[in-house]
Amino acid sequence: MLELKNVHTYYGNIHALKGISLTVNEGEIVTLIGSNGAGKTTTLRTIQGLLRPREGTILLNGEALEKLAPHVIVQRGISQSPEGRLIFSNMTVRENLEMGAYQRNDKDGITRDMEYVYTLFPRLRERMTQRGGTLSGGEQQMLSMGRALMARPRIMLLDEPSMGLAPILVDQIFEIIKTLNKEGTTILLVEQNARLALSIAHRGYVLETGEIVLTGEGRSLLDNPEVKAAYLGERAH
Amino acid sequence: MQTAANSRAGLRQSPIWRILLAIPIIYVVLLLGQPAGLDLPKIVDTIRNDPGILLQQLINGLANGAIIAIIALGYTLVYGIIELVNFANSDVFMLGTFTALLSMSPFIIMSENGGASVPWWAALIAFFPAMGIGALLNVTIERVAYRKLRNAPKLIVLISALGMSFILQNIGLQLGSLGKLAQAGPQFSIFSILGSNNAAPKSFPSVFSNDNLLEYVFPSEPTPTPAADAGGAAAAGAVAGELSEDAVMATANAAIDATMVADEATRAAAPTEVVAADAEVTPEVAVADAEATPEAPVADAAAEIVATEEPTPDIIATMNAENGGQDVMAEAPAATNEAGQSIERTKVRITFKDLLVISVAVVLMLVLRWFIANTKMGKAMRATAQNRDAAKIMGIDVDRVIAITFAIGGALAGAAGMMTGIYNGTFVFTMGFTAGLRSFTAAVLGGIGNITGAALGGILIGILAAFSDQFLSVRWTNAWIFLVLVLVMLFRPTGLLGKHGGEKA
């Protein structure tokens, strides 16, 4: 469904992605793990069109995305819960969700999807008229994911949904990711919490300083000694 | 780092800091304020002798402030969304006046003595091209001068903005020379309005009368007009007599009003007298080199011009009314404010123009607020203002949103240009500079990025300017405005209505 072929991205002169190739198939949860600065977020930003790859191509169902503007890429069916959540803090929860559906014009569909988001995250319904900035970290994460869902994406990119959240909330969020996937949303998940990410992912990629060094099924990566040493040992909790 | 910023902000908000800061500031203002016209006993005296003038200046300030407020909306919108001070905004305002004038040109009615007027419906129609061209200009500016620089350092974009401002000023200068075409043959009325001097202030055809609406509500008994004595008129301003219907207290931008008065005086065919009352007897004539510093006489001329319905056309002082007002501008006598004392009590005037300008400003602000709060595009603007990347991820076409923001700002500036033409009756290609300074100050004063704040700031600056022109010193008005800005920034760095935490739009 989504395919990156030899993607190189730069920040000025810094070579951030050094030829990334990865594939996400329809219905999968694919996770991208790696330490800080490995290029996980850069990969997601490149897919979304916020960064332009200098080389390589990004295909969504065969259509090249790398030259399209971000809003067109959203139209094509890629939405994202970005790093740091980027909630519109001056807007109400409802307005935030409306923004997620910006590219859509089907009023009834939007109302239905908003209802769906509210059933998925009942807390958001309670906070409907509250400003985004007043929400707790966990609620903001829910809002960020709900907002991404409002675009009715074919593939959803999640950037560090566990960041800064209490373990119980993290479990809750990951349950919802699994539910979403079961209901048909393809997911590309970026995580530092490798154990958790690999435990729900069908497949995983390990990213190290801009290069993919390992790939495999979620379970098999969990058992991989290199992964264990590098990403699981230090993150045990 | 955040805690450091917080503790600094905390100190700034603590009452001790405020008091410590306020004492030396008050002292310095009292000490240095004198040459800038701060003479409290005199001011108190003026107001006691003539309380009406306070009300009159409040009205003038409100009307001029309304125009400033509309331009400030454009500044604040654009700043809110891309954190850029679009210096060209106020030159779009200036070109808005030109556009309005040019688009009204088929409907201009010239009277025998050179005065021009247009019917009200023509002015109404002219609002549309003024706003449309304003929007188009501003969008073009964004496209040409800012879009490529969106990720460049702020300073570079700022320079680009200044450059656009100069380009637009020069377009205004060139438009001002259209009048020269008359020498080649065709005699359009627009040519005679524009005149042959491209840099000179142009008069705007009068649209609405200067009738005092209060006269209709509270009709006053007719008073005999005292004869004007050329010798004593200036010394004893009282000679100017009862301020009759056509009398205008030219204060806010005295020279500008002077043109209007002179203009109307000549147009009205009824022999009219223009008195430049100057308590110091010797009017300090600011003969302007219009080419070099066309702005100078505007700033300098603090003339108290009183037009009375005197049956003998007798022009005192250096008022050259025959020239349709243009040269009046250049040679307006600078009279000091003391004249205000000797003239009899001000009869408060509210004209239709005052009401028009203020109500148009209020309506525009309310419509804009509604648009930003409730429409999809308005929400997209807020989203883009808060976080451009997040907006992109939502599927918002940020370039389009920014272009529309510029279009709205330009349309507002165009509307303000039209209104300044109607209200002040004159304009000049450099007026964008002063207007820009004041309206940007207004936007910062109210809390940049905040729409209500910009409107409030505009009104406050307008009133402050009117009071300063009347009670302090015209020459120092801009200084007083900036003093207030500095004070607000010291005590409330986010502006009057700005909130902490960078709330925008």
Side-chain angles (χ1 to χ4, degrees), chain B residues 478-503:
Chain B
N478 281 339
W480 286 112
I481 289 172
F482 280 102
L483 176 75
V484 168
L485 178 71
V486 168
L487 293 182
V488 170
M489 289 293 99
L490 272 176
F491 290 100
R492 248 192 102 82
T494 49
L496 294 175
L497 298 185
K499 292 195 181 105
H500 289 282
E503 180 161 0

Side-chain angles (χ1 to χ4, degrees), chain B residues 194-217:
Chain B
L194 288 171
S196 57
N197 184 348
N198 56 359
K202 316 292 180 192
S203 62
F204 198 86
S206 67
V207 183
F208 301 105
S209 80
N210 276 326
D211 289 357
N212 186 357
L213 297 182
L214 292 180
E215 287 282 322
Y216 298 119
V217 189

Side-chain angles (χ1 to χ4, degrees), chain B residues 411-428:
Chain B
L412 289 171
M418 174 73 200
M419 284 199 292
T420 203
I422 292 176
Y423 188 72
N424 289 322
T426 180
F427 64 102
V428 61

Side-chain angles (χ1 to χ4, degrees), chain B residues 47-68:
Chain B
I47 297 172
R48 193 188 300 133
N49 288 337
D50 186 4
I53 200 144
L54 202 64
L55 197 57
Q56 185 62 58
Q57 290 302 355
L58 195 67
I59 295 162
N60 292 352
L62 270 174
N64 277 312
I67 294 173
I68 295 172

Side-chain angles (χ1 to χ4, degrees), chain A residues 45 48 50 70-71 74 80 82 86-91 95 98-105 131 147, chain B residues 373 376-377 379-380 382-384 386-387 389-398 400-401 499 502-504:
Chain A
R45 288 173 65 84
Q48 193 78 64
L50 299 172
H71 68 272
V74 174
Q80 164 164 201
L86 306 187
I87 295 300
F88 299 119
S89 53
N90 294 337
M91 293 186 170
E95 283 174 331
E98 283 171 11
M99 285 294 103
Y102 188 79
Q103 280 290 345
R104 297 169 57 184
N105 286 314
R131 287 183 169 215
R147 207 173 55 170
Chain B
K376 195 172 176 183
M377 181 47 69
K379 286 176 188 172
R382 277 153 65 203
T384 308
Q386 279 182 54
N387 192 318
D389 272 350
K392 284 181 187 170
I393 289 170
M394 295 305 105
I396 294 170
D397 184 351
V398 168
R400 184 156 166 264
V401 170
K499 292 195 181 105
E503 180 161 0
K504 297 171 198 161

Side-chain angles (χ1 to χ4, degrees), chain B residues 165-243:
Chain B
S165 167
F166 283 125
I167 290 171
L168 295 191
Q169 271 189 34
N170 279 287
I171 292 175
L173 185 61
Q174 292 311 312
L175 285 176
S177 66
L178 279 180
K180 286 178 182 157
L181 292 177
Q183 295 161 359
Q187 295 298 319
F188 293 111
S189 49
I190 186 80
F191 291 160
S192 62
I193 285 177
L194 288 171
S196 57
N197 184 348
N198 56 359
K202 316 292 180 192
S203 62
F204 198 86
S206 67
V207 183
F208 301 105
S209 80
N210 276 326
D211 289 357
N212 186 357
L213 297 182
L214 292 180
E215 287 282 322
Y216 298 119
V217 189
F218 314 104
S220 61
E221 296 111 54
T223 46
T225 2
D229 176 337
V239 179
E242 180 69 34
L243 293 182

Side-chain angles (χ1 to χ4, degrees), chain B residues 24-38 476 479-480 483:
Chain B
I25 288 173
I26 293 170
Y27 181 76
V28 169
V29 168
L30 288 176
L31 183 76
L32 299 181
Q34 287 169 5
L38 187 65
W476 288 83
W480 286 112
L483 176 75

